[in-house]
Amino acid sequence: MKEDLEIKLGKLIENFLQMRRMFQYEANDASEICSFTSLQFETLNFIGEKEICTMKQISEFLGISMSGATQLIERLFSNKLVERVLDKKDRRIVNISLTKIGILELRRLRMFMNKLSNDIFRGMTEKEVDEYLKINRLILQN
């Protein structure tokens, strides 16, 4: 019984590595469309959903240091994708929001990601996609 589990876990790892290569291949195609890292996309998406957030919120969401978040936001700021505004109540707090260019880029990136997801999961039924999501959530909770 234990050998069966080890074989299955080996197959899971093999599948994971194949999927990783598939996503990397797709990401390489995406690099022709956009010049964002996955961390930058994740940050833009987070800010887009919150509309206004602080550096601390970004740092906590991404699980990176404040200095790492500052560098990340600085790159997005230099590309005119985000703006920094001092908080009206507490001038020590810097609020981050998307610029008009940032909103347009995020919309474009989300459309690309939706297309990519549709391409990847094209052969699956809605029930199978639900099962896949459920299993992914369980893995992420461990």
Side-chain angles (χ1 to χ4, degrees):
M1 189 74 150
K2 187 173 180 168
E3 286 181 29
D4 288 342
L5 180 59
E6 287 180 20
I7 290 170
K8 288 178 182 179
L9 290 176
K11 288 181 180 180
L12 278 172
I13 290 170
E14 186 179 311
N15 286 348
F16 171 76
L17 293 173
Q18 286 176 333
M19 288 180 65
R20 184 171 175 252
R21 284 191 299 272
M22 181 179 71
F23 280 109
Q24 282 180 321
Y25 175 78
E26 295 292 340
N28 287 340
D29 286 351
S31 67
E32 295 174 13
I33 296 170
C34 63
S35 57
F36 299 105
T37 66
S38 58
L39 193 59
Q40 289 170 332
F41 171 69
E42 207 172 337
T43 304
L44 288 174
N45 202 44
F46 178 73
I47 298 168
E49 292 195 9
K50 292 274 189 191
E51 293 186 12
I52 296 174
C53 58
T54 64
M55 294 296 291
K56 183 178 180 184
Q57 289 172 318
I58 293 168
S59 162
E60 289 173 354
F61 173 75
L62 296 172
I64 61 176
S65 67
M66 283 291 284
S67 64
T70 300
Q71 290 174 11
L72 178 63
I73 292 302
E74 181 58 38
R75 273 177 269 158
L76 295 174
F77 178 78
S78 66
N79 288 324
K80 299 178 175 40
L81 299 169
V82 298
E83 59 187 356
R84 297 178 281 207
V85 179
L86 292 176
D87 190 273
K88 292 176 183 173
K89 295 178 185 172
D90 186 345
R91 296 186 57 80
R92 295 171 297 175
I93 297 174
V94 176
N95 291 312
I96 309 296
S97 61
L98 297 178
T99 62
K100 288 180 182 180
I101 294 171
I103 291 168
L104 292 172
E105 282 298 310
L106 178 58
R107 198 173 294 152
R108 191 172 67 85
L109 286 167
R110 283 178 175 168
M111 285 173 37
F112 174 79
M113 294 305 285
N114 285 340
K115 181 190 177 312
L116 178 62
S117 296
N118 287 335
D119 290 347
I120 289 171
F121 297 108
R122 171 183 29 224
M124 297 173 69
T125 66
E126 186 174 346
K127 183 178 178 183
E128 290 169 332
V129 171
D130 289 341
E131 279 296 309
Y132 180 79
L133 290 171
K134 180 181 173 184
I135 291 167
N136 272 299
R137 284 188 201 110
L138 287 173
I139 291 169
L140 291 171
Q141 288 172 359
N142 283 334

